[in-house]
Amino acid sequence: MGKRPMTVRVARWSAEHPWRAIALWVVFVAVCFVGGNAAGLNEATDEDQAIGEAGRASVIEIHGDFDDPAVENVLITAPGGELDRAAADAAAADAITRMKATAGVAKVDEPVPARDGSALLIGITMAGDPDTASDRLQPLQDTTEALRQAHPRVRIEEVGGPSINKALDDTLGADFQRAELLSLPVTLAILIVAFGALIAAGVPVLLAMSSVFAAMGLSTLASHLLPATDTTNSVILLIGLAVGVDYSLFYIRREREERAKGRGHLDAVEIAAETSGHAVVVSGIAVMIAMAGLFLATDVVFSSLAVGSILVVAVSVIGSLTVLPALLAKLGRWVDRPRVPLLWRLSARRSGAPRIWPALLRPALRRPLLALVISVGALLALAVPAAGMKMKFPGMEDLPRTTPAMQAYDRLTAAFPSTGTAHYLAVEAPAAEAAQVKAALTGLAEKAGGDPLFAPVEADGPEIEQSADGTVSVLQVATPYHTRTDEARQSLDKLRDVYVPEAMAGLSNVDYAVGGDVAGSVDYAAHIRQKLPLVMAFVLILTFVVMVLTFRSVVVALTSILLNLLSVGAAYGLLVLVFQGTWAEGPLGFTSMESIVTWLPLFLFVVLFGLSMDYHVFVVSRIREAVQRGVSNRDAVAYGITSSAGTVSSAAIVMVAVFSIFATLSTIDMKQLGIGLAAAILLDATIIRAVVLPSVMTLLGDANWWAPRFLRRRPPARHAQEPERELVSVH
């Protein structure tokens, strides 16, 4: 007998020494998690995240080492109708007196009236670290509430960066916490329905969560080599729960299937390792390759997500090959206890010959060309809107308006346009030229202030800051338009193409750049458009190589790539249909930003391409097993899809449910991410698997398995005493 694959040898050892394997896994997870927490997280800085000209502007501003204290505002407006100026002046005077006496306040400015007389604004500079200002707002909020009670004839509100951040942290933090807490019970409930037994349902969740904790610790350690962002752990949870449950499902289903045929526990575990374990390794490699494509985006955020995703997938694969066989061997038939009566009977019925899938497959197997044309045509039609995809960053206008802080912000920007959307010009020059730079910036601000694309300059002059050493100057140039509007984009283009070059023409030895929210959105979208083809090419080529080496078939590898591209394209088109229009605003609870969040297309591509390969590898592996056993191509296709239907359907339902939970979050980017992932997995697990895949493989027939001579491999000879198995491994 030839040497057994590594997956089989590792699983066999774990099954024969279950307590050792389980103990080693527990120690591994504990060391990773505790070690990561002890090392601490190395977070990416603003310089690490600089992209394009907007990024250069940010770096120049950082070089200025400006004192940037936290600033709040007291906004006084009319509760309805015109502002009572006498009442407003009295409230403003009282606000100045009270705020000066409030703990945590360093400075209180004189009241500034709005140009139209609709409001008064009092700036408040907070003492202490600006990064912790949101945690120290309570004394100011108490004073504001006292002012509100003392002056009922006017509306008095507190608004500023710290109060908005606190309000968003409270609402969005609760959103994320709810999503993370819901994902576990929802996953467990679906698995209980799938298995009909509590222990069998709990094992995949246990493996997935232990993999997540280990990956979080390893990701924290890795952050000292590659800085991390605060979104990495959320992505680790999202990906880890999906693949961890998938891999366990593949393995447990196959082990139960072999036990049902009369195999002993060790033999059942070994066969599961040789078949499903091999598929897990291949799909894990495919997912990691897809995630590695994110490194080519040359963006620290994507690189951080790539590290976290690769680590959690790798740990999940290791767990499925080590501790999972040990648990199954130790539990034996106890894995099917305690049984949930009705659900157990349904699960036992599903584990027999499937009834629904043969009927679903019949059209694709009998009339494959017609089924292929109709299904591919429908998916291509769904993908067509993706050609009109627009990419922008969400702005302040896209944040939930349910909090008083955001409602006050709207009134603030309406009365004082210069406090809303603003570009900034950062200039670095020798200190000897500081006066000339300031004069040039003043002239630029006055010229732009007369342009309707920009907000008028305030009475106290343009907002220009210069560093203590005089080498860095920053000018704020406000626009009355929201971040995502065409007018805001036009104002950026005019600033960059006309006003700034004219102002800088008379200066030498200067480095300058225009930044701000609008510039950041525009530059990042251009960056994504430039990097997306490179990332796609990397993922497609390496995935093709892995599939060729796995299945020893160029045709299977090529069809795998094309089918995954089809599902990703359809998901892109669906996203555009839903989120670039307004028809779905009510049902999904969002306000359309008429574009897709800038980072989403690239991230969706790698995640969807990786996760889709999970199902594809598992299903094609079962088809390949049947072909190697001598079954005809058409029957092998039917067998492979129907025999894997329960496992793949359960895994898909788990993914769709978890991703749908994230679609309920308040922010537009999480809604788009959740809907995009859920829709793509649903399309892939239904139309692709039930219609496109069987029709393609039926039409191709024996050509499915064509490969050049150097890729072909003879099946290993069996030992004379080795029992013949019903299915052989995929090689």
Side-chain angles (χ1 to χ4, degrees), residues 568-695:
V568 170
Y572 279 178
L574 187 64
L575 269 180
V576 171
L577 283 175
V578 171
F579 289 101
Q580 283 191 195
T582 59
W583 64 272
E585 288 181 332
L588 296 179
F590 72 95
T591 299
S592 176
M593 56 184 283
E594 299 178 351
S595 54
I596 304 302
V597 176
T598 310
W599 55 266
L600 203 59
L602 192 152
F603 185 69
L604 269 180
F605 175 80
V606 297
V607 172
L608 293 178
F609 207 88
L611 296 182
S612 295
M613 293 307 296
D614 268 2
Y615 304 142
H616 198 80
V617 168
F618 188 65
V619 173
V620 176
S621 294
R622 298 302 291 260
I623 296 172
R624 176 68 166 167
E625 288 177 23
V627 169
Q628 287 182 327
R629 209 177 43 164
V631 176
S632 69
N633 182 76
R634 184 186 297 267
D635 290 341
V637 170
Y639 166 79
I641 294 177
T642 55
S643 63
S644 62
T647 304
V648 174
S649 297
S650 300
I653 291 170
V654 169
M655 281 198 192
V656 171
V658 171
F659 295 151
S660 297
I661 290 172
F662 278 79
T664 66
L665 301 183
S666 301
T667 56
I668 190 67
D669 51 355
M670 287 296 106
K671 282 188 181 295
Q672 291 187 3
L673 177 63
I675 293 292
L677 288 172
I681 296 298
L682 192 60
L683 289 170
D684 190 75
T686 53
I687 297 177
I688 296 290
R689 182 162 53 93
V691 184
V692 182
L693 176 63
S695 59

Side-chain angles (χ1 to χ4, degrees), residues 383-394:
V384 165
M389 181 184 290
K390 302 174 183 176
M391 291 189 292
K392 293 180 182 178
F393 270 140

Side-chain angles (χ1 to χ4, degrees), residues 398-440:
D398 298 306
L399 295 172
R401 256 47 188 180
T402 54
T403 61
M406 291 310 303
Q407 295 165 10
Y409 173 79
D410 289 339
R411 283 187 278 270
L412 172 68
T413 55
F416 299 90
S418 62
T419 61
T421 305
H423 313 291
Y424 70 89
L425 171 61
V427 181
E428 191 166 17
E433 297 187 25
Q436 295 95 308
V437 170
K438 186 170 185 178

